[in-house]
Amino acid sequence: MNLASRRKLRLRLRDLAAASAYAAVALSGAMPVWVSVLFALSFIVALLGFRPLAGLRTGAVLVLLALAVILFGLAFRGALNLVVAAVAFASLVTAHRMLAAPEPATDRQVLLASLLLIAGAAALSGEIWYAACLLAFGVFACLTLGLGVVEGPVERDEDLPLRPVLRQVSVGVALALAGGVAFFILFPRISWNVAARRATPPLLGGTTGMTDRVRLGGGGSIKTSARVVARATLDPDPGVDHLERYWVGRHFDTFDGQEWRGSGVPGAPKVYAGLSPLIPGTQVQRIELLPAYESRTLIGLAQPLAFSQAQALSTAGSTTALMVIVKGEEVHFATPGNAYRYVAFTFGGDIPAGRLDEDERARALALPEHLDPRVAQLAERVAGTDGDPRSVARKLEGWLKNNLGYTLELAGEGDAPLSHFLFDRRAGHCEHFATALAVLLRTRGIPSRVVGGFFGGERVGERYVVRAGDAHAWVEAWIDGRGWITLDATPEAGRSNQPIAALARLIDLYESLEEYWRKRVVDYSLIDQVGFVRDLVQPPRGQRTDDAHPEATGGTVPFRQVLGALAAVVLTWLVWRGLSRRLAQRPHPATSFLTEVERRLSRAHIARQDGEGLEELSRRLSSRRHPAAATLQRVTRRYLEARFGARPLPSAERRALLHSLERELSPRNSRAQEPGPS
Amino acid sequence: MASWRERLRQWMKPPRTLKVTRAGRTYLVLTVGIGLGALNTGNNLLYLVLGFLLAVIVLSGVLSERAIRDVRVRRLLPDGAFAGEPFPLRYEVTRTRGQAFALEVSEADSALKGSGWIPYVAQGRPEVVRADVVAPRRGPLKLTGVRITTLFPFGLFEKTRTALLADGLVIFPRRGFSCEPPGSADALHQGDSSTGRHRDGAGDLLGLRELEPGEDARRVHWKKSAAAAQLLKVEREREDRPQYTLSVTEREGDALERACEETAALTRRLLEDGAEVGLLAHGRKIRPGSGPGHEKRVLTALAFLGFDEPRGGHAP
């Protein structure tokens, strides 16, 4: 392969390595859009073979400096996280170097800046895509370095067989990856946690729709999502493939005709959130809320009694999570994290209860101001003269389930979505059914509220997974003496998730990969290491729980220290740059000596002929027996020795020689011996 | 025979040496930084990156070792070289097993500066590489071995192995500046125009005379001798070229070096001007002569001034 092809291949591989590194950063979703656009443009331009910054060194550096000022200005004002700003700046540096003149030094700069991006992405993202990007970066970067090394210090325009080189480097990359995994497994996990960065939302964002309000008329596309948002191990294990149970998330008791909201008052953060006293026969759930859940609301099988042992997981490790009880509404995490682990306690049957608090009863019976009178008439017609609240509730639930249809297609609901659902379209999704049932119950004097959560649970291995498509809304009605009972008017077909089969399989594959990634990489801990070594030494005695993770405390980014370190780095770089430039620009001492000699000769009107060197001039003066000839010979010899003969000219000797030459060239000594050009 | 100190030094010398390149230093700094970041935050992804970076370091060691192992080198020396001037030194590199990449070949433990670069050596196929090297000073130069260095695979580290390969090279004095014209040719004239010997040249015909006893019979003009019935010798004019005998009286130190350099430069200049040049230095005399071979004799003698001369002459 000739030089041009080799260079093209090397540059392409280098640019791909940089793009892989940036992809790792961009997939975290934390990068400003304009940075991504700039990088993408740079990558495309570089891939097309253009290097527009090759001749614009100073201008390009100034632009980069201006962008750095903007980025760190944003960080200083709090509009951008400092780590994000630093990574964004590294991205711009990478893009800048990609567009610079293609030299071996530029290759190394691009790759080292890309390595910074990879390290930055590790702080920003915990997604499995990071692994793919890291792999791609490793392969491309190693191949680029390998090709650059074989090219040698100076590029030679000669054919070079690249296949053996690429083969050898590829084997090397494979070994490096294997070695990297080995290092990863065995490197002791000791964390200082001096300055850990807080978690950021994952790229794919929340998928559950678990919000603090439920507005009728929203889309129902979530029902087709197969993304796993939670995993749970149940004790005792029911042993069924499909759990078909309600996972309670949030209660909504106030309806204004358009949307439901809660009205609970948050309490103090605690490590234990008790809703009701624990009673015998509770079912224990070890629940893991995955990043796709993207909500801090805890879920538990109906009816949850308490939550405990909560841990917030982030790329910085795991930490104890505090929980806040919002009475009558929800329990949520006070500690931020990408994912959470906790234990929920549930009682499967009805929980003995006394009377409902008056305020709570009033809220659970409140009707919207402009409720369509047909709603109450419908409830009266369905309930008839039945006075038993439980019986009335079942009748209304049955009527809705049997007489109205389930659909995710919603259009033209207008200002009265409930009436539209009940009397016009006569079809809707779970939120419509839940709203209708709750309002109908309230018109009959039965306190009720809408519950948001999940329905279902699919067994995968030893655990049950809850998908985004399992998101569901149903109703709880208060029956004196029985407490809150669960009612669900949504037809059975519309309760669980409804994903496309092929898509579900793909998502399952992705989820299993992600689970492996999270378990084996992101959440890998010292305990896992000990377990690994123990398993190597002796066979495992029993199943190891996945919840045993060391607790760690996180800190905040010490802004001053980071800024100080940054300033120190910039200062060091400036000093180094200045010194190296000064040293590079300083002429050879012998050259400055020659300049001095020439100046003196010129002053004495001794001109050199065209192309005449100092040696020839010296010989010419000797042949004409000029009084300064002998001195000039000495000067010439010392100049040649100092310039080419590795015999430096000390300043004292230099001064003496120049002084001697000046004396010999003085008019008094050189009169009548003037050798003009001939 | 090497002294016991030299042998001890050779014995103590590690079989491989490792040097971190500029890119390698930056890489190591980043690795340490990422390692500290991983330790500080406990971020497993940073541990993963750290693992790869460390693995690359280890792999660099393994692959570079594979590259410089099983490499045989043969050195092809020039007849001589001038100090301070680049001269070609050729190496024949053969890989006895496997392949080698990105090899730099240079002299080990030698004052010679310069190296040759070979991007790829296939198994069993010798590659000849030229290294333009520079010797800083004159004198006999002992070559003990060849350094084989590789930056393969990633250019982060420079691993070197030394192949023992003893040899010698004469470094002539630097061709410096010669300005002062030598003393007049008459003063240093070695030939003697006052004797009859000036008629024993190979130039224009001067005449015939009777061959005297002891004279070279090859100069007899046989036809004229036959006609005259006596042995007649042809006398031809000798081309009298100026002859100079340059002397070096300095015994040591920088003065000797300068004298050698100047004498070498003067020798070249005089020979180019058509003169014959001889040398008188440290009790050794070389008769005036001309031609490239003679210049080399003078230069070799100058190269050895102040050094122990090898047995059997100047040749190393």
Side-chain angles (χ1 to χ4, degrees):
Chain A
M1 191 179 268
N2 61 28
L3 176 63
S5 306
R6 290 201 306 270
R7 185 188 289 170
K8 195 172 171 184
L9 175 66
R10 196 182 76 239
L11 292 177
R12 288 241 165 111
L13 287 170
R14 183 199 76 179
D15 296 342
L16 283 171
S20 308
Y22 187 75
V25 173
L27 285 169
S28 72
M31 280 293 103
V33 176
W34 61 273
V35 174
S36 294
V37 170
L38 276 180
F39 190 91
L41 280 176
S42 306
F43 173 66
I44 291 167
V45 170
L47 214 57
L48 290 174
F50 299 109
R51 312 284 163 186
L53 300 185
L56 303 171
R57 199 163 181 169
T58 312
V61 169
L62 285 176
V63 170
L64 197 60
L65 209 60
L67 291 173
V69 169
I70 292 171
L71 278 171
F72 288 101
L74 288 172
F76 187 73
R77 293 182 60 182
L80 204 61
N81 184 286
L82 190 61
V83 176
V84 175
V87 174
F89 182 61
S91 310
L92 294 174
V93 170
T94 311
H96 176 271
R97 293 286 81 200
M98 274 163 63
L99 298 179
E103 295 164 356
T106 320
D107 289 358
R108 289 194 291 271
Q109 288 160 1
V110 168
L111 294 177
L112 289 171
S114 303
L115 182 56
L116 280 178
L117 290 186
I118 282 287
L124 295 174
S125 168
E127 293 283 312
I128 190 171
W129 300 111
Y130 178 82
C133 294
L134 178 62
L135 190 67
F137 170 75
V139 171
F140 290 136
C142 287
L143 288 176
T144 310
L145 286 172
L147 289 179
V149 163
V150 173
E151 203 61 63
V154 180
E155 288 184 327
R156 292 170 173 83
D157 195 6
E158 59 188 36
D159 280 347
L160 189 65
L162 276 197
R163 192 169 290 173
V165 179
L166 290 175
R167 197 185 304 132
Q168 184 89 350
V169 175
S170 302
V171 171
V173 172
L175 289 173
L177 293 175
V181 171
F183 268 113
F184 173 77
I185 292 171
L186 298 173
F187 200 96
R189 293 300 193 279
I190 306 162
S191 178
W192 306 332
N193 263 319
V194 175
R197 186 178 176 276
R198 287 302 183 187
T200 54
L203 172 73
L204 298 177
T207 56
T208 59
M210 185 70 81
T211 57
D212 58 351
R213 336 184 142 215
V214 172
R215 188 173 182 85
L216 289 183
S221 59
I222 197 171
K223 295 300 284 183
T224 59
S225 172
R227 289 212 70 192
V228 176
V229 293
R231 298 191 188 97
T233 309
L234 306 187
D235 183 20
D237 188 348
V240 294
D241 288 341
H242 296 279
L243 200 56
E244 304 288 340
R245 286 181 66 180
Y246 294 93
W247 299 82
V248 176
R250 184 190 283 262
H251 297 96
F252 304 93
D253 56 7
T254 306
F255 183 58
D256 62 1
Q258 295 279 340
E259 68 178 17
W260 286 94
R261 63 176 186 276
S263 55
V265 178
K270 295 175 183 173
V271 291
Y272 177 83
L275 303 173
S276 302
L278 293 181
I279 52 178
T282 54
Q283 188 172 37
V284 179
Q285 307 132 57
R286 296 181 185 280
I287 298 174
E288 185 181 7
L289 296 179
L290 303 178
Y293 181 66
E294 223 237 331
S295 173
R296 292 192 187 176
T297 302
L298 284 83
I299 59 171
L301 282 173
Q303 296 289 335
L305 302 177
F307 299 101
S308 71
Q309 301 174 35
Q311 286 184 315
L313 310 176
S314 69
T315 51
S318 62
T319 181
T320 302
L322 298 177
M323 295 169 283
V324 173
I325 299 174
V326 184
K327 192 166 180 296
E329 187 177 342
E330 65 163 351
V331 179
H332 68 243
F333 289 108
T335 309
N338 276 341
Y340 295 94
R341 286 201 187 107
Y342 58 95
V343 177
F345 301 93
T346 290
F347 185 68
D350 294 336
I351 303 169
R355 287 185 59 80
L356 190 61
D357 175 63
E358 283 306 317
D359 288 344
E360 209 173 339
R361 174 179 286 274
R363 282 199 302 273
L365 284 172
L367 290 167
E369 282 185 18
H370 306 292
L371 185 65
D372 190 334
R374 289 181 294 171
V375 176
Q377 292 165 10
L378 174 66
E380 190 178 354
R381 191 170 71 241
V382 172
T385 56
D386 196 341
D388 177 24
R390 188 163 184 160
S391 171
V392 170
R394 294 295 175 203
K395 278 182 180 172
L396 290 171
E397 179 191 32
W399 187 89
L400 288 169
K401 202 183 294 183
N402 296 327
N403 291 283
L404 301 179
Y406 184 87
T407 181
L408 295 174
E409 304 293 330
L410 301 172
E413 290 190 315
D415 294 334
L418 181 58
S419 302
H420 185 73
F421 165 65
L422 284 173
F423 307 113
D424 300 331
R425 192 175 59 227
R426 296 180 67 80
H429 55 68
C430 58
E431 289 171 359
H432 295 93
F433 281 98
T435 301
L437 180 56
V439 173
L440 287 170
L441 285 168
R442 290 185 181 192
T443 59
R444 300 303 300 163
I446 302 170
S448 61
R449 60 188 183 186
V450 167
V451 188
F454 298 89
F455 178 81
E458 180 186 334
R459 192 177 185 93
V460 175
E462 298 297 314
R463 293 186 293 182
Y464 288 93
V465 298
V466 178
R467 298 179 188 277
D470 291 328
H472 189 47
W474 65 95
V475 173
E476 284 180 357
W478 180 266
I479 306 295
D480 286 335
R482 302 291 302 272
W484 292 105
I485 63 165
T486 299
L487 299 167
D488 193 351
T490 307
E492 280 78 359
R495 291 180 186 171
S496 299
N497 68 82
Q498 301 154 27
I500 301 163
L503 186 65
R505 275 198 293 275
L506 273 178
I507 299 247
D508 279 348
L509 181 65
Y510 170 76
E511 299 290 352
S512 59
L513 278 174
E514 194 191 36
E515 183 190 3
Y516 187 85
W517 168 253
R518 291 184 57 76
K519 188 175 172 186
R520 297 294 179 198
V521 180
V522 177
D523 297 339
Y524 191 70
S525 69
L526 188 62
I527 289 176
D528 292 316
Q529 282 188 307
V530 172
F532 175 79
V533 174
R534 192 184 56 208
D535 290 348
L536 280 181
V537 177
Q538 61 187 35
R541 289 177 183 172
Q543 190 176 352
R544 192 159 44 91
T545 63
D546 292 325
D547 301 314
H549 283 264
E551 291 184 357
T553 53
T556 55
V557 179
F559 185 74
R560 280 186 187 175
Q561 284 88 328
V562 171
L563 208 61
L566 201 69
V569 167
V570 169
L571 192 67
T572 310
W573 182 77
L574 286 174
V575 169
W576 173 80
R577 185 88 178 168
L579 281 176
S580 60
R581 277 194 178 169
R582 200 169 162 188
L583 287 173
Q585 286 171 356
R586 186 188 290 174
H588 194 283
T591 308
S592 64
F593 175 65
L594 177 64
T595 310
E596 291 292 319
V597 170
E598 283 177 335
R599 192 176 295 154
R600 279 158 179 77
L601 288 172
S602 171
R603 222 180 288 153
H605 305 292
I606 298 176
R608 284 203 279 173
Q609 295 167 5
D610 285 344
E612 188 181 43
L614 198 59
E615 289 173 84
E616 286 81 18
L617 176 66
S618 182
R619 285 195 186 122
R620 186 152 62 83
L621 292 185
S622 291
S623 65
R624 297 186 179 197
R625 304 195 183 283
H626 190 279
T631 310
L632 189 62
Q633 279 173 23
R634 278 207 323 274
V635 166
T636 305
R637 181 162 53 201
R638 279 305 284 127
Y639 161 70
L640 291 171
E641 285 175 355
R643 181 70 183 88
F644 305 108
R647 284 204 187 100
L649 184 63
S651 0
E653 189 184 356
R654 174 195 170 113
R655 274 197 304 276
L657 281 171
L658 287 173
H659 180 69
S660 164
L661 182 66
E662 199 159 5
R663 199 176 55 230
E664 295 294 335
L665 288 173
S666 66
R668 189 159 45 87
N669 287 338
S670 58
R671 66 180 184 276
Q673 299 288 342
E674 194 60 38
S678 57
Chain B
M1 190 70 178
S3 67
W4 67 270
R5 278 188 186 175
E6 197 173 331
R7 274 181 292 170
L8 182 69
R9 197 167 59 84
Q10 288 287 345
W11 185 76
M12 297 272 287
K13 196 184 286 183
R16 305 281 187 272
T17 54
L18 196 67
K19 192 179 153 194
V20 186
T21 63
R22 192 174 172 182
R25 279 199 294 275
T26 317
Y27 181 87
L28 287 181
V29 168
L30 275 177
T31 304
V32 170
I34 289 171
L36 292 177
L39 283 171
N40 179 38
T41 60
N43 185 335
N44 271 329
L45 299 187
L46 284 179
Y47 276 113
L48 191 62
V49 177
L50 177 68
F52 285 131
L53 295 180
L54 293 175
V56 163
I57 291 173
V58 173
L59 187 79
S60 288
V62 174
L63 289 187
S64 59
E65 177 59 31
R66 278 170 59 97
I68 60 172
R69 204 175 51 189
D70 302 321
V71 172
R72 280 190 190 160
V73 186
R74 200 159 67 88
R75 190 193 288 120
L76 308 170
L77 289 170
D79 291 339
F82 288 92
E85 289 180 28
F87 64 94
L89 205 58
R90 288 180 174 78
Y91 300 96
E92 187 189 82
V93 179
T94 314
R95 179 82 184 187
T96 54
R97 202 171 56 175
Q99 304 158 327
F101 304 93
L103 296 182
E104 190 181 24
V105 188
S106 60
E107 284 302 323
D109 301 325
S110 165
L112 291 180
K113 300 281 179 245
S115 61
W117 174 265
I118 315 175
Y120 173 61
V121 185
Q123 181 180 353
R125 195 187 306 160
E127 293 280 342
V128 176
V129 58
R130 170 187 162 143
D132 286 326
V133 298
V134 179
R137 52 174 300 158
R138 71 173 179 92
L141 190 66
K142 192 177 171 189
L143 305 175
T144 55
V146 177
R147 281 186 354 154
I148 306 159
T149 303
T150 186
L151 290 169
F152 193 76
F154 303 124
L156 305 174
F157 304 97
E158 198 180 275
K159 186 175 262 191
T160 301
R161 176 173 83 86
T162 302
L164 295 178
L165 194 64
D167 226 325
L169 182 65
V170 179
I171 305 298
F172 303 141
R174 188 191 308 274
R175 282 192 279 210
F177 169 78
S178 74
C179 179
E180 288 179 60
S184 71
D186 297 339
L188 295 165
H189 214 164
Q190 296 294 307
D192 185 1
S193 59
S194 64
T195 69
R197 290 182 63 80
H198 76 286
R199 290 167 174 264
D200 59 356
D204 294 337
L205 185 65
L206 290 175
L208 296 170
R209 67 168 174 83
E210 192 179 349
L211 182 73
E212 293 179 2
E215 286 191 320
D216 191 348
R218 285 177 298 181
R219 289 193 171 264
V220 171
H221 195 298
W222 294 109
K223 271 190 179 177
K224 297 286 182 188
S225 297
Q230 60 176 347
L231 289 173
L232 297 176
K233 176 192 172 189
V234 181
E235 288 188 325
R236 289 180 182 276
E237 191 180 34
R238 194 172 68 191
E239 289 177 353
D240 268 351
R241 299 203 286 184
Q243 292 186 339
Y244 297 94
T245 298
L246 306 176
S247 62
V248 177
T249 53
E250 291 80 358
R251 304 300 299 184
E252 58 186 11
D254 203 41
L256 174 61
E257 294 303 316
R258 283 168 194 250
C260 286
E261 288 172 17
E262 197 162 329
T263 306
L266 206 52
T267 302
R268 161 51 61 107
R269 192 173 146 199
L270 291 173
L271 288 173
E272 279 177 351
D273 290 346
E276 292 183 345
V277 181
L279 180 69
L280 181 61
H282 295 193
R284 184 173 196 90
K285 184 172 183 183
I286 295 177
R287 290 172 65 82
S290 60
H294 185 73
E295 185 186 9
K296 195 180 165 193
R297 272 196 296 279
V298 173
L299 290 173
T300 306
L302 288 171
F304 276 98
L305 284 183
F307 294 96
D308 293 336
E309 293 192 20
R311 290 172 195 168
H314 288 304

